[in-house]
Amino acid sequence: MATENKNLSEYDKNTIPNAKDFRFGIVVSEWNETITEGLYNGAFEALIDNEVPAQQIIRWNVPGSFELIYGAKKMLQTQNVDAVIVIGCVIQGQTKHFDFVCEGVTQGIKDLNVQTDIPVIFCVLTDNNIQQSIDRSGGIHGNKGTEAAIAAIKMAYIRQQASMSHPFNQPLLSSGALQIEETPIKIEKE
């Protein structure tokens, strides 16, 4: 398992950009609600921990994971957010339904990232059983929602910096800001 040796809830605040001026959308699937609520709580708490005011976090619920795509699309179109986190949980059953839902949601969220300028962060658990989902939504492996919120902050920051007229360089400073290097513009005369 990818999370076997990693706690999903751990992050270094010194590497997180300042998020107090960003707006975040969170679209949450009501299917497997115990799990998705745990993921939402992890995401919400991480955003608050990184100084995002609660009124700058918008939550929408959708019936299931497949509906996350439409919910995220409408949020992108109407809510003036800097990033969207989609939260869902699909657990393997005895039919191929699991495969179709997982593939569809993955491709749909990928498409939104390609088609729009606002990052959509994938926080959909696709586990073999309920225990694996519990372990990743606040259990022994931490909380994937926390990890998604940190990714959303970093991606919102990258989007903001990319829209500026000058380049930025890694790594982050201790304040969480990226080091920006001024590049002189050459003007050639004819």
Side-chain angles (χ1 to χ4, degrees):
M1 303 247 136
T3 57
E4 195 169 294
N5 297 314
K6 178 180 180 185
N7 185 316
L8 298 166
S9 299
E10 293 177 0
Y11 59 92
D12 179 358
K13 279 186 84 166
N14 291 322
T15 65
I16 311 302
N18 186 318
K20 68 181 176 65
D21 294 326
F22 291 133
R23 282 176 48 91
F24 295 93
I26 305 176
V27 183
V28 182
S29 168
E30 295 171 336
W31 193 259
N32 291 317
E33 184 176 30
T34 301
I35 303 301
T36 60
E37 281 303 308
L39 294 169
Y40 170 78
N41 290 334
F44 184 83
E45 290 167 13
L47 292 173
I48 297 296
D49 186 47
N50 283 280
E51 302 180 22
V52 177
Q55 67 270 19
Q56 290 174 205
I57 303 170
I58 303 161
R59 176 186 173 149
W60 287 2
N61 288 355
V62 296
S65 290
F66 207 80
E67 291 77 24
L68 290 169
I69 303 161
Y70 183 81
K73 176 183 171 184
K74 288 302 173 187
M75 186 171 279
L76 291 168
Q77 292 172 341
T78 65
Q79 296 302 307
N80 191 30
V81 292
D82 295 291
V84 172
I85 302 167
V86 296
I87 293 177
C89 176
V90 186
I91 299 172
Q92 178 72 57
Q94 296 179 347
T95 68
K96 294 191 69 68
H97 181 74
F98 173 86
D99 299 325
F100 298 133
V101 172
C102 293
E103 179 72 19
V105 174
T106 302
Q107 292 302 316
I109 300 308
K110 181 267 303 174
D111 289 346
L112 290 175
N113 277 300
V114 171
Q115 296 166 2
T116 69
D117 185 47
I118 300 168
V120 181
I121 307 304
F122 188 84
C123 182
V124 179
L125 298 181
T126 56
D127 292 317
N128 292 320
N129 57 59
I130 190 72
Q131 188 59 53
Q132 288 177 342
S133 296
I134 291 168
D135 292 347
R136 288 160 182 76
S137 61
I140 64 170
H141 293 301
N143 195 313
K144 185 74 172 169
T146 302
E147 184 183 63
I150 299 307
I153 293 169
K154 289 179 176 181
M155 294 305 293
Y157 188 76
I158 286 172
R159 177 178 177 259
Q160 177 191 61
Q161 295 300 302
S163 70
M164 299 172 73
S165 62
H166 45 78
F168 60 95
N169 296 321
Q170 294 286 357
L172 294 172
L173 301 173
S174 62
S175 66
L178 289 173
Q179 176 70 40
I180 297 178
E181 180 180 293
E182 295 293 330
T183 305
I185 298 173
K186 285 186 173 182
I187 301 174
E188 296 190 23
K189 296 182 181 181
E190 295 182 25

